[in-house]
Each structure stands twice: as C-alpha cells, then as structure tokens.
Amino acid sequence: MTASRVLVLNSGSSSVKYQLLDMADRSRLAVGLVERIGEETSRLAHEPLATGGGKREQLGPIADHEAALKAVAAELAADGLGLDSPELAAVGHRVVHGGTRFTAPTVIDDEVLAEIRSLVPLAPLHNPANVTGIEVARALRPDVPQVAVFDTAFHATMPDHVAQYAIDAEVAERWSVRRYGFHGTSHAYVSRATARLLGKEPQEVNVIVLHLGNGASASAVRGGVCVETSMGLTPLEGLVMGTRSGDLDPAVIFHLARVGGMSVDEIDSLLNKKSGLLGMCGDNDMREVLRRAGEGDEAARRAFATYVHRLKKYIGAYTAVLGRVDAVVFTAGVGENAAPVREAAVAGLEGLGLALDPRANAERSGEPRLISPAGARVAVAVVPTDEELEIAAQTYELVTG
Ligand code: AMP
C-alpha cells in the first residue's frame, strides 16, 4: 500500500485550518478549523467527509497551537483517520512569505525552518504562526515529510523590472524591499483551471486572475507564468479589499503621522484592518455592502463603486501588460459569488473585448464556468479556487515525484 494521504495545515496567529486529502483520488477525507486559540472561547469545528459522520463542534479553551493540533489529531483518530496512520504521506504547510529564497515547494529541514523564521520581518503577522504550525506537526510525526508551500512562490517569475519599486536601489536591496505578491497558490491553481476550461494548455493562454476574497489580488499570467501581480512587499498593495486600502499615495502615511499625529503602528492597523470596504462604509462583507447599496445606502454605494473602479483599472493595466488576453477569471468568496461585482467590473469594457452573458453571470454554481457570450473575443470565467487541493498536490508531487 502506498501512502497517499496529505494533511494540509494553514496556521494563522489564532487559528488553524486543516484538510486531510487522499491524493490517490484527490478526495477530501476530513476538513476543519480551530479558531480563537489561546482564548477561553476556542472552537474546533470538524467534518469527517470520508465517513459522512456529519459536523462536530468542540467548544472551550485551547491554549496554544500544540493543543490545537493534538485536538485535531484526536478528532481524526476518532474517525479512523489518525495521523499515526502509515497512510499519511506528508504534511503540507501554507507559508505566507518565502522571500526571494523560496520559489517552489520545499521539504522542511532545520535549515529551511530557520530561513522561514528569518523572513518574519517581511511577514510579521503570518510567518510566526506558520513556523509554529510546522514545529508542532513535526513533533507529532517526525518521520513524515513536512513541506512548505509558499504564497509568494508563483509570483517569483515576475521580471525584475516589474518586481522592483522605483526607489534607491541600495536601500531596496538592504531591506529586501520589492514586490513579492501573495495568494500565489490560488493564482496558480485558478489560471491552470481556466486553461482547462478553455480546452487549452496553460502555455497556450494569457489570463488575468481576479482573486476577490476578504483579501484581494489580481495577477497577469502569460502562458502559465506569472508576469505581474497587484500585491507587493506585503498584501496591502493593489485592489480594494475587505479591510485593506490597497493602492494609495505613500505620502498619506507621512501626512497621517506628521499632521494627524498617528503612530506607525496606528497607521499600519488603519490601512490593514480598518480600511477597504470596512473603512469606507462600515462593512467588510460584500454581501452586506450589496444589500445596503440595494437599499440606497450612499456610503455602501460609493464603497462598491470604489471597489469596482479599482478592479477595472487593474483589468485595463493587465490587458496592456499581457498585450493579448484570452480570459479574465473571477475567483474566491466575492469573485465566485457576487454576480453584481462581476457585472460592474466588466461593464463598459467592450473595447477590450470583454462582455458578459447576464444569464450565465446570474447562475449560481460551484463549477468552473464561462459567463461571457459565445464567441466573445475574451472569455470571462468563474473558477472556484481550491488552495488546499493545490497545496496537497504540490506537496504530494514533491514527496513522491
Ligand atoms: P474568502 O476570503 O475567499 O473566503 O472570501 C470571503 C468574502 O467573500 C466574504 O468576506 C464576503 O464578503 C464574500 N462573499 C461570500 N459569499 C458571498 C456572496 N454570496 N455574495 C457576495 N460576497 C460574498
């Protein structure tokens, strides 16, 4: 029997999302989430899809990531899917920042772990939690390969002149200041799935991917290779997001510090956590924004308009970057579900060859699908993202390939 199970771990500062997959048939055996780790009100939600046993919930304090992973292991064991099974081939970890060092999935040893730790200054909110997740999983199954799959990796192919900011080159080099890009696992998966939807190989198509979740980013993918993406040194740059501003004049920061008397930490929190849709209208969930806008709420309408305007600018910019576009594809929570966002983003872009079939756009489905009229010059598509499957696939390929 060949071991074919992969556990995918996505460790955040106070949460762990996990999926156990069987890569023999790419099926999901169990999925779940531990949240509010370190608080009195921790919650573990577990669903053993393999047994069809239904969702289970465990409430009560879970002190740290080690306790969280042990609780997950116990839940899996109760379903006959224990992590001590010889069928476990590997653990795949989502790691947010790989810097310039990691451009492909990597088997984790002490040296790799130390390097991931050394990248913490570039991703102070994310990499520490990723490191903790790796340490705990390694202790649990030291004999099983642990693989890091980096959110930045897919964007490593961006040409240097695209990745560099137009600042003093020595300062940039000294402090590793350049554009890295994030959501790479999703952009990789979705761009490939879009080629498949068009009946083509990834090398044959140029695709603009719009990953619109609570975080949001765009990428331009030429022949399967990422040539530009909207997030930069950190996930703050680019599109308007649920709570992040996206692009703004960097002098806004100086102004808020000098004139507004705000500290760097306050401005960091303002731009990352209290801006975007939330900052403009008080709601970061697009469902609420749409509902309120539909009722005539002026702040919600304007926030929606700003969100869509930024999207259009990126579609236009990436059309210019690619020269020829075969498909524009929407993915993630907003992109997959919010027909009004797709409609508004594409409206008026006939000159770029973009149009929607209103009926196809309004249809709800979990499948990859085209929403442009037959024969359109540029296909417009909705492709559900699946970062966990992509992490599992990359992990499994590395350990078996
Ligand atoms: P994600 O980060 O990909 O999980 O996306 C989460 C976001 O998707 C939420 O904050 C919502 O704003 C958005 N979302 C989910 N479902 C819908 C929907 N039916 N309509 C509009 N937005 C949605």
Side-chain angles (χ1 to χ4, degrees):
M1 179 181 60
T2 326
S4 58
R5 288 182 190 162
V6 175
L7 176 69
V8 175
L9 290 181
N10 182 352
S11 305
S13 56
S14 64
S15 70
V16 176
K17 288 188 205 137
Y18 63 93
Q19 292 197 2
L20 184 68
L21 295 99
D22 187 342
M23 295 316 287
D25 59 2
R26 295 160 79 88
S27 65
R28 251 170 269 265
L29 303 174
V31 303
L33 160 77
V34 190
E35 55 187 356
R36 297 193 290 276
I37 295 171
E39 294 179 34
E40 287 301 309
T41 58
S42 312
R43 170 175 172 265
L44 191 165
H46 176 80
E47 188 174 11
L49 303 168
T51 64
K55 286 187 191 168
R56 302 199 291 270
E57 200 178 54
Q58 189 181 309
L59 299 168
I62 296 179
D64 51 26
H65 283 72
E66 186 177 349
L69 206 57
K70 286 193 172 144
V72 170
E75 290 292 337
L76 289 166
D79 301 319
L81 299 168
L83 297 181
D84 52 357
S85 163
E87 288 185 61
L88 186 67
V91 181
H93 297 266
R94 175 184 184 224
V95 179
V96 167
H97 217 306
T100 49
R101 161 76 166 77
F102 297 108
T103 57
T106 306
V107 175
I108 301 165
D109 57 17
D110 290 342
E111 186 255 334
V112 168
L113 190 57
E115 292 249 12
I116 295 172
R117 221 180 259 122
S118 77
L119 293 167
V120 163
L122 283 174
L125 296 178
H126 296 105
N127 273 33
N130 302 155
V131 167
T132 306
I134 292 167
E135 286 170 339
V136 172
R138 265 180 122 195
L140 209 62
R141 276 302 297 270
D143 57 318
V144 161
Q146 311 277 326
V147 173
V149 177
F150 298 92
D151 239 27
T152 45
F154 183 62
H155 306 301
T157 48
M158 276 194 289
D160 286 342
H161 72 276
V162 174
Q164 101 167 327
Y165 288 111
I167 65 169
D168 181 285
E170 265 176 46
V171 171
E173 172 74 24
R174 173 147 185 226
W175 301 107
S176 305
V177 172
R178 50 167 270 153
R179 309 190 52 245
Y180 294 94
F182 299 88
H183 291 147
T185 309
S186 175
H187 287 280
Y189 175 86
V190 169
S191 57
R192 253 182 264 132
T194 304
R196 223 169 15 248
L197 181 67
L198 299 178
K200 300 258 172 75
E201 293 298 320
Q203 306 85 274
E204 296 175 291
V205 291
N206 293 350
V207 183
I208 297 174
V209 180
L210 303 169
H211 175 113
L212 311 179
N214 197 28
S217 62
S219 70
V221 183
R222 175 181 289 133
V225 174
C226 179
V227 294
E228 164 76 294
T229 194
S230 60
M231 284 177 167
L233 174 77
T234 78
L236 183 55
E237 191 177 350
L239 300 175
V240 175
M241 312 184 205
T243 67
R244 295 191 195 113
S245 62
D247 295 335
L248 81 176
D249 180 349
V252 168
I253 296 163
F254 318 143
H255 180 76
L256 292 176
R258 291 186 190 126
V259 181
M262 292 174 74
S263 71
V264 169
D265 285 345
E266 283 169 342
I267 301 171
D268 188 332
S269 166
L270 173 83
L271 298 180
N272 276 297
K273 297 189 181 147
K274 296 178 212 150
S275 295
L277 293 172
L278 179 71
M280 290 186 289
C281 75
D283 272 305
N284 67 311
D285 190 319
M286 185 56 86
R287 284 166 288 208
E288 269 310 291
V289 177
L290 289 171
R291 188 190 59 74
R292 284 172 49 195
E295 288 171 357
D297 180 303
E298 189 46 36
R301 281 168 74 149
R302 203 163 46 229
F304 177 80
T306 302
Y307 184 98
V308 166
H309 178 72
R310 187 81 51 86
L311 265 179
K312 276 185 196 289
K313 287 213 298 196
Y314 272 88
I315 293 171
Y318 287 3
T319 299
V321 166
L322 289 170
R324 185 203 85 219
V325 179
D326 298 298
V328 173
V329 55
F330 290 86
T331 193
V334 175
E336 291 166 30
N337 297 299
V341 170
R342 299 191 297 255
E343 183 188 339
V346 170
L349 300 187
E350 296 81 7
L352 300 181
L354 290 166
L356 282 193
D357 172 343
R359 274 190 38 200
N361 185 43
E363 252 168 52
R364 300 192 62 85
S365 153
E367 296 299 313
R369 58 202 184 272
L370 290 175
I371 56 170
S372 43
R377 181 149 61 88
V378 178
V380 183
V382 180
V383 173
T385 191
D386 196 336
E387 290 168 273
E388 289 78 15
L389 177 61
E390 179 67 20
I391 290 171
Q394 293 190 16
T395 297
Y396 192 60
E397 198 184 317
L398 186 67
V399 299
T400 57

Short mmCIF file of all heavy atoms in Angstrom, two decimals, residues 2 9 33-34 56 68 103 171 180 190 205 236 239 256 306 315 327 329 331 345 374 387:
data_model
loop_
_atom_site.label_atom_id
_atom_site.label_comp_id
_atom_site.label_asym_id
_atom_site.label_seq_id
_atom_site.Cartn_x
_atom_site.Cartn_y
_atom_site.Cartn_z
N THR A 2 0.62 2.15 -0.96
CA THR A 2 1.38 3.41 -0.98
C THR A 2 0.65 4.43 -0.12
O THR A 2 -0.57 4.57 -0.24
CB THR A 2 1.44 3.98 -2.41
OG1 THR A 2 1.49 2.89 -3.31
CG2 THR A 2 2.63 4.87 -2.59
N LEU A 9 -2.11 22.06 6.36
CA LEU A 9 -2.29 22.94 7.51
C LEU A 9 -2.09 24.39 7.10
O LEU A 9 -1.10 24.73 6.45
CB LEU A 9 -1.28 22.61 8.62
CG LEU A 9 -1.47 21.30 9.37
CD1 LEU A 9 -0.38 21.17 10.43
CD2 LEU A 9 -2.85 21.22 10.01
N LEU A 33 -11.46 23.37 11.32
CA LEU A 33 -10.92 24.67 11.71
C LEU A 33 -10.87 24.75 13.23
O LEU A 33 -11.81 24.34 13.90
CB LEU A 33 -11.88 25.74 11.16
CG LEU A 33 -11.86 27.13 11.78
CD1 LEU A 33 -10.65 27.90 11.28
CD2 LEU A 33 -13.13 27.89 11.40
N VAL A 34 -9.74 25.21 13.74
CA VAL A 34 -9.69 25.59 15.16
C VAL A 34 -9.53 27.09 15.20
O VAL A 34 -8.62 27.63 14.55
CB VAL A 34 -8.48 24.95 15.90
CG1 VAL A 34 -8.61 25.17 17.40
CG2 VAL A 34 -8.36 23.47 15.59
N ARG A 56 -18.91 18.08 13.64
CA ARG A 56 -18.82 18.07 15.10
C ARG A 56 -18.18 19.37 15.56
O ARG A 56 -17.37 19.94 14.86
CB ARG A 56 -17.95 16.90 15.59
CG ARG A 56 -18.43 15.54 15.15
CD ARG A 56 -17.83 14.44 16.03
NE ARG A 56 -16.41 14.26 15.84
CZ ARG A 56 -15.87 13.41 14.94
NH1 ARG A 56 -16.66 12.71 14.14
NH2 ARG A 56 -14.57 13.28 14.84
N ALA A 68 -4.01 22.69 19.93
CA ALA A 68 -4.97 22.70 18.81
C ALA A 68 -4.72 21.51 17.89
O ALA A 68 -5.65 20.79 17.52
CB ALA A 68 -4.84 24.01 18.03
N THR A 103 11.13 29.64 -4.08
CA THR A 103 10.30 29.87 -5.26
C THR A 103 9.58 28.59 -5.69
O THR A 103 8.99 28.53 -6.76
CB THR A 103 11.16 30.39 -6.42
OG1 THR A 103 12.20 29.44 -6.67
CG2 THR A 103 11.80 31.72 -6.06
N VAL A 171 18.99 50.96 -0.84
CA VAL A 171 18.03 50.84 0.28
C VAL A 171 17.12 49.63 0.04
O VAL A 171 16.88 48.82 0.94
CB VAL A 171 17.18 52.13 0.40
CG1 VAL A 171 16.06 51.94 1.41
CG2 VAL A 171 18.06 53.31 0.80
N TYR A 180 6.62 41.13 -3.98
CA TYR A 180 6.65 39.66 -3.88
C TYR A 180 5.33 39.05 -4.40
O TYR A 180 5.35 38.08 -5.14
CB TYR A 180 6.88 39.22 -2.44
CG TYR A 180 8.24 39.60 -1.90
CD1 TYR A 180 8.42 40.77 -1.18
CD2 TYR A 180 9.36 38.79 -2.13
CE1 TYR A 180 9.67 41.13 -0.69
CE2 TYR A 180 10.60 39.14 -1.63
CZ TYR A 180 10.76 40.31 -0.92
OH TYR A 180 12.00 40.66 -0.44
N VAL A 190 -5.97 28.55 -10.21
CA VAL A 190 -7.08 29.10 -11.00
C VAL A 190 -6.66 29.37 -12.44
O VAL A 190 -7.42 29.12 -13.38
CB VAL A 190 -7.65 30.36 -10.31
CG1 VAL A 190 -8.62 31.11 -11.23
CG2 VAL A 190 -8.33 29.98 -9.00
N VAL A 205 -2.31 30.04 -23.15
CA VAL A 205 -3.26 31.13 -22.87
C VAL A 205 -2.68 32.22 -21.96
O VAL A 205 -1.83 31.96 -21.12
CB VAL A 205 -4.57 30.59 -22.23
CG1 VAL A 205 -5.36 29.78 -23.23
CG2 VAL A 205 -4.30 29.80 -20.97
N LEU A 236 -0.75 44.48 1.33
CA LEU A 236 -1.53 45.73 1.42
C LEU A 236 -1.76 46.41 0.06
O LEU A 236 -2.73 47.12 -0.13
CB LEU A 236 -0.79 46.70 2.37
CG LEU A 236 -1.45 48.04 2.69
CD1 LEU A 236 -2.87 47.85 3.23
CD2 LEU A 236 -0.61 48.80 3.72
N LEU A 239 -5.64 45.97 -5.03
CA LEU A 239 -7.09 46.13 -5.07
C LEU A 239 -7.64 46.61 -3.73
O LEU A 239 -7.01 46.44 -2.68
CB LEU A 239 -7.73 44.77 -5.42
CG LEU A 239 -7.32 44.16 -6.76
CD1 LEU A 239 -7.94 42.77 -6.92
CD2 LEU A 239 -7.77 45.06 -7.92
N LEU A 256 -0.52 61.44 7.74
CA LEU A 256 -1.22 61.00 8.95
C LEU A 256 -0.28 61.04 10.16
O LEU A 256 -0.70 61.30 11.28
CB LEU A 256 -1.77 59.58 8.77
CG LEU A 256 -2.91 59.46 7.76
CD1 LEU A 256 -3.32 58.00 7.59
CD2 LEU A 256 -4.12 60.29 8.20
N THR A 306 -16.05 52.38 -5.61
CA THR A 306 -14.60 52.50 -5.50
C THR A 306 -13.94 51.13 -5.71
O THR A 306 -12.93 51.00 -6.40
CB THR A 306 -14.23 53.07 -4.11
OG1 THR A 306 -14.86 54.33 -3.96
CG2 THR A 306 -12.72 53.23 -3.95
N ILE A 315 -7.83 45.52 -14.57
CA ILE A 315 -8.12 44.75 -15.79
C ILE A 315 -7.49 45.47 -16.98
O ILE A 315 -6.83 44.86 -17.84
CB ILE A 315 -9.64 44.58 -15.99
CG1 ILE A 315 -10.23 43.68 -14.89
CG2 ILE A 315 -9.94 43.98 -17.38
CD1 ILE A 315 -11.76 43.62 -14.88
N ALA A 327 -8.51 35.24 -21.33
CA ALA A 327 -9.58 35.09 -20.34
C ALA A 327 -9.35 36.00 -19.14
O ALA A 327 -8.22 36.24 -18.74
CB ALA A 327 -9.67 33.64 -19.87
N VAL A 329 -10.69 35.90 -15.25
CA VAL A 329 -11.36 34.91 -14.40
C VAL A 329 -11.53 35.44 -12.99
O VAL A 329 -10.62 36.04 -12.42
CB VAL A 329 -10.60 33.56 -14.44
CG1 VAL A 329 -9.15 33.71 -14.07
CG2 VAL A 329 -11.26 32.53 -13.54
N THR A 331 -12.43 34.66 -8.97
CA THR A 331 -12.39 33.57 -8.00
C THR A 331 -12.44 34.11 -6.58
O THR A 331 -12.43 35.32 -6.36
CB THR A 331 -11.13 32.68 -8.21
OG1 THR A 331 -11.29 31.49 -7.46
CG2 THR A 331 -9.86 33.40 -7.76
N ALA A 345 -17.70 45.15 -12.88
CA ALA A 345 -16.27 45.21 -13.23
C ALA A 345 -16.06 45.14 -14.74
O ALA A 345 -15.12 45.72 -15.28
CB ALA A 345 -15.52 44.08 -12.54
N ALA A 374 -21.15 33.41 -26.16
CA ALA A 374 -20.43 32.53 -27.09
C ALA A 374 -19.71 33.38 -28.13
O ALA A 374 -20.26 34.37 -28.62
CB ALA A 374 -21.43 31.59 -27.77
N GLU A 387 -7.21 26.26 -2.71
CA GLU A 387 -5.81 26.36 -2.29
C GLU A 387 -5.35 25.10 -1.57
O GLU A 387 -4.20 24.68 -1.72
CB GLU A 387 -5.64 27.59 -1.39
CG GLU A 387 -5.78 28.88 -2.17
CD GLU A 387 -5.92 30.12 -1.30
OE1 GLU A 387 -7.05 30.45 -0.92
OE2 GLU A 387 -4.89 30.74 -1.00
#
